[in-house]
Amino acid sequence: MFKRIGCYPVRCIVFCLLQLCCGSLFAFQTKKTDPAIRTIDSLIALAPGQIRSDIAKAQKTIATINRLSLAANYKHGVLESLFDQCWLLYHTGSIDRCIISVDSIIEHTPGIYGDPGAMKFNILKGQCYVKKTQFSLAIKEFSVALKLAEKNKDEGGKAGTVLSIGWAYMENKKFHEAIDFFTEILKIKAPNQYLDKATVLNNIASCYNSLAKYKEAANYARQAVTDSRADNNLIDLANGLNILAGAIDQQGDTKQALAYLNEASKVRAKVGDPAMLASDYLELSDMYRKNGQFAQAVAYAQKGVNISKKNNINLKLQAGYEALAGSLEAAGNYKQADSYYKKLIAYKDTANTAANNEAMADLLVKYNTQKKITENLQLKHDNLNARLTLANKQRWLTLSVALAILIIIISIFSYINTRNRYQTRLALQQITEQKNRTLAVLETEENERRRIAADLHDGVSQMLAAVSIQLKKHDRSIEIAHDLLEQAAAEVRAVSHQMTSELLKHYGLVKAIENNLAQLNSPGSPAQFHFFNMVENGNVDELLQVMLYRSFQELVNNINKHAQATEVNIHLTINEETTLLMIEDDGIGFDTKNDHNGLGLRSLASRIKVFNGDLMIDSIPGNGTTVIVKFDTPSLT
């Protein structure tokens, strides 16, 4: 994603926070006519480009921004320098320290979200959670950042947030969804100098490589390389050349792929990223080995080993020893290859030790065989005739025994297979019957709801309306009775609509939820409900739509009764792979370990299972509740 390296001490972040919090809090907005502020703003704009081309210069610039901003009481500049320091923590692999620093800055900076750049802290925290593979927490942080970007009409911030979301999907191996997000960024009217455009193109190219669509990958990688050259963006240039080399190699042009990889390694050396440079060298070694150029393969593998040793990059050193041993083995130098396999064993974990020992033993056999091949030729010739005679005698006996064993094995296997198929068929039949009975109950229950609702609307409601008309004809002394009848009629109509939603039947799930939330968001309502939907596939089974709508009603009613929430977010996602309803509130929450689910939630969970779905509840006392209803497929079959 972002390729920044280097690190500021955490004590610098703490010192800046003390400066922000002590004394009177200076405002975000400072007169832009102040020369000192204009200087700081120009340095803030300069820092991202320097990070992509000259890390050392970027570190000095960040330090200067921090010093000048503190001297000028310019809070926006201090926050920008703090963000860059956290960013550097993130890229040195200090993920937990980065999260702690971001949380501390957000907590100890009053009014932080009044600054237009504050959302970057949420984006960075989300990226930390992605590296920890905690994707649900990451998406929460990205959602906060996206809301802030849309509120501030910040197209560049919106693009950065969508880029992070796409990266999360890419790291989660959901390449098609990631490509959709990255492509959306290219449609956003971000600033012309949007520095992450090459990163977006590289990410799309990488996804296409993973999907084995090498022509598309090459096209996007070439565009990223072109943009990176124009902007002198060395990090993305090196990444683009590396991705382009992989795509070209898969299309059969090894010579051109080698040229791109060589250029990538030279650019990477300027960036100063030893881990990525070691990777480039090892990829060059692998490509030369595949091309039969073993001397070059050995040379680049040795370079990868050397730079890994120098920078204590154990993981790359392990890969380097493996590449070097493989190249030497391919070149026929078994003895030297064996020495590197011995070094490789020292870096392998317990699970891989046996495999490496076997490889090393195999190399030793090859080496010793090569030395003694002349001595053994005659001995092999003498033994050959004797072995052939003995083999002829044993052949018929072996075949007879093998045939008998084979017949026994086939008989046993046939019996077991027939029995297992019968048991499996019986179990599936029982599950299907149970599922059909449950679905029939659900469908009958829904039809009964509709019948009762119709009776209320067509019967009781009409009778109340008739009585109301008759009351209007009499003396005004019964006006109170008339009002009560009007209220009763309204209640009947509300119950009727609650029991069966005509919008759900005629216009679908999204309209039904929107209509319900419009009623819940009436003036004076203690909680505000927000609805977000990504419905790509509207062809959902009618009963499953009803199940989702009833789940939504049950969960929203629970929030209104118990949660004491002020903000509620409802997310609905329907695509070819999954159907998901997520409802999160900022209410009082509850302890999921000690608090037993009520009858309504237990009933809801059992019904969801009928549709092969899951009900997940995440709640902490005082920190709100998140409930997820998920189905792996949008249909019943």
Side-chain angles (χ1 to χ4, degrees), residues 537-566:
N537 179 17
N539 187 21
V540 180
D541 184 272
E542 182 179 352
L543 274 179
L544 182 56
Q545 287 199 55
V546 172
M547 183 71 254
L548 284 167
Y549 185 64
R550 296 303 177 201
S551 302
F552 157 75
Q553 287 182 313
E554 175 73 20
L555 296 173
V556 167
N557 286 338
N558 282 349
I559 291 172
N560 284 332
K561 289 179 181 178
H562 310 295
Q564 301 179 24
T566 60

Side-chain angles (χ1 to χ4, degrees), residues 238-528:
N239 291 337
L241 289 168
N242 186 288
I243 296 168
L244 181 57
I248 293 297
D249 181 50
Q250 290 294 333
Q251 295 180 65
D253 192 348
T254 304
K255 182 177 180 181
Q256 185 62 51
L258 282 169
Y260 284 133
L261 268 181
N262 273 302
E263 185 180 357
S265 65
K266 293 176 182 178
V267 175
R268 196 88 69 183
K270 296 178 182 178
V271 173
D273 188 339
M276 294 302 295
L277 182 57
S279 293
D280 289 342
Y281 285 152
L282 296 180
E283 288 184 33
L284 276 167
S285 174
D286 182 62
M287 195 167 293
Y288 276 122
R289 185 167 68 251
K290 290 178 181 177
N291 203 35
Q293 297 174 273
F294 302 125
Q296 292 91 330
V298 171
Y300 276 102
Q302 188 66 62
K303 286 184 177 181
V305 168
N306 293 342
I307 195 171
S308 300
K309 276 186 177 180
K310 181 179 179 181
N311 294 277
N312 295 320
I313 309 171
N314 289 341
L315 185 60
K316 297 300 179 184
L317 184 58
Q318 175 181 312
Y321 283 147
E322 190 168 5
L324 192 52
S327 299
L328 289 166
E329 180 184 2
N333 192 342
Y334 300 119
K335 184 174 182 180
Q336 194 173 0
D338 171 59
S339 69
Y340 281 103
Y341 270 116
K342 289 180 180 178
K343 294 180 180 180
L344 176 63
I345 289 174
Y347 287 91
K348 288 285 187 178
D349 56 21
T350 305
N352 292 329
T353 298
N356 289 327
N357 284 334
E358 184 179 348
M360 185 188 73
D362 184 56
L363 275 178
L364 286 174
V365 170
K366 290 180 180 179
Y367 174 65
N368 291 329
T369 301
Q370 186 71 21
K371 283 181 59 179
K372 298 179 180 179
I373 190 169
T374 305
E375 301 172 6
N376 292 337
L377 281 176
Q378 186 61 44
L379 180 61
K380 287 181 180 180
H381 177 72
D382 294 338
N383 291 336
L384 183 59
N385 290 330
R387 288 183 180 180
L388 286 173
T389 302
L390 180 61
N392 286 332
K393 293 179 180 180
Q394 293 178 340
R395 184 177 301 143
W396 290 109
L397 178 62
T398 303
L399 287 174
S400 300
V401 173
L403 182 61
I405 293 174
L406 181 62
I407 292 173
I408 295 172
I409 292 174
I410 291 175
S411 300
I412 295 173
F413 176 79
S414 177
Y415 168 74
I416 294 174
N417 187 44
T418 302
R419 185 186 63 182
N420 289 343
R421 281 190 297 176
Y422 173 75
Q423 292 176 345
T424 301
R425 190 185 308 113
L426 181 62
L428 288 174
Q429 184 178 355
Q430 292 173 346
I431 292 171
T432 302
E433 290 176 357
Q434 177 66 30
K435 180 176 179 180
N436 289 337
R437 285 196 296 270
T438 305
L439 288 174
V441 170
L442 289 176
E443 188 169 6
T444 303
E445 184 181 273
E446 192 62 27
N447 290 336
E448 186 64 13
R449 284 175 179 266
R450 291 174 179 169
R451 186 191 65 77
I452 295 173
D455 288 346
L456 287 172
H457 182 271
D458 298 336
V460 178
S461 182
Q462 297 301 324
M463 293 172 63
L464 290 174
V467 173
S468 176
I469 293 171
Q470 292 300 321
L471 287 174
K472 289 181 180 179
K473 297 178 181 179
H474 292 79
D475 190 84
R476 292 185 60 84
S477 61
I478 58 175
E479 185 176 342
I480 295 175
H482 172 266
D483 291 341
L484 291 174
L485 281 174
E486 290 288 339
Q487 294 178 22
E491 288 293 332
V492 169
R493 286 193 298 272
V495 171
S496 174
H497 287 296
Q498 182 73 6
M499 295 191 71
T500 179
S501 172
E502 291 301 315
L503 279 174
L504 177 64
K505 181 177 180 182
H506 296 293
Y507 297 103
L509 183 60
V510 174
K511 286 292 183 182
I513 292 177
E514 288 176 346
N515 183 64
N516 202 319
L517 292 180
Q519 297 174 8
L520 291 173
N521 285 329
S522 59
S525 175
Q528 287 296 308

Side-chain angles (χ1 to χ4, degrees), residues 544-596:
L544 182 56
Q545 287 199 55
V546 172
M547 183 71 254
L548 284 167
Y549 185 64
R550 296 303 177 201
S551 302
F552 157 75
Q553 287 182 313
E554 175 73 20
L555 296 173
V556 167
N557 286 338
N558 282 349
I559 291 172
N560 284 332
K561 289 179 181 178
H562 310 295
Q564 301 179 24
T566 60
E567 293 285 336
V568 182
N569 292 328
I570 296 99
H571 302 265
L572 176 65
T573 300
I574 300 177
N575 53 45
E576 293 181 354
E577 296 181 359
T578 186
T579 299
L580 183 143
L581 173 67
M582 180 172 71
I583 301 179
E584 49 187 356
D585 65 71
D586 62 352
I588 59 176
F590 61 92
D591 189 346
T592 57
K593 295 181 179 178
N594 299 324
D595 188 86
H596 298 289

Side-chain angles (χ1 to χ4, degrees), residues 53-86:
S53 59
D54 192 331
I55 297 297
K57 185 181 292 186
Q59 290 174 330
K60 293 179 181 179
T61 299
I62 294 168
T64 302
I65 293 170
N66 183 273
R67 175 174 52 79
L68 294 178
S69 298
L70 287 173
N73 278 354
Y74 186 31
K75 188 171 184 179
H76 175 70
V78 175
L79 285 175
E80 286 289 335
S81 65
L82 288 176
F83 171 76
D84 286 334
Q85 291 169 21
C86 291

Side-chain angles (χ1 to χ4, degrees), residues 194-213:
Y194 177 49
L195 293 174
D196 286 324
K197 183 180 179 182
T199 303
V200 175
L201 296 171
N202 277 332
N203 285 346
I204 295 175
S206 180
C207 288
Y208 276 127
N209 262 346
S210 299
L211 294 171
K213 295 184 178 181

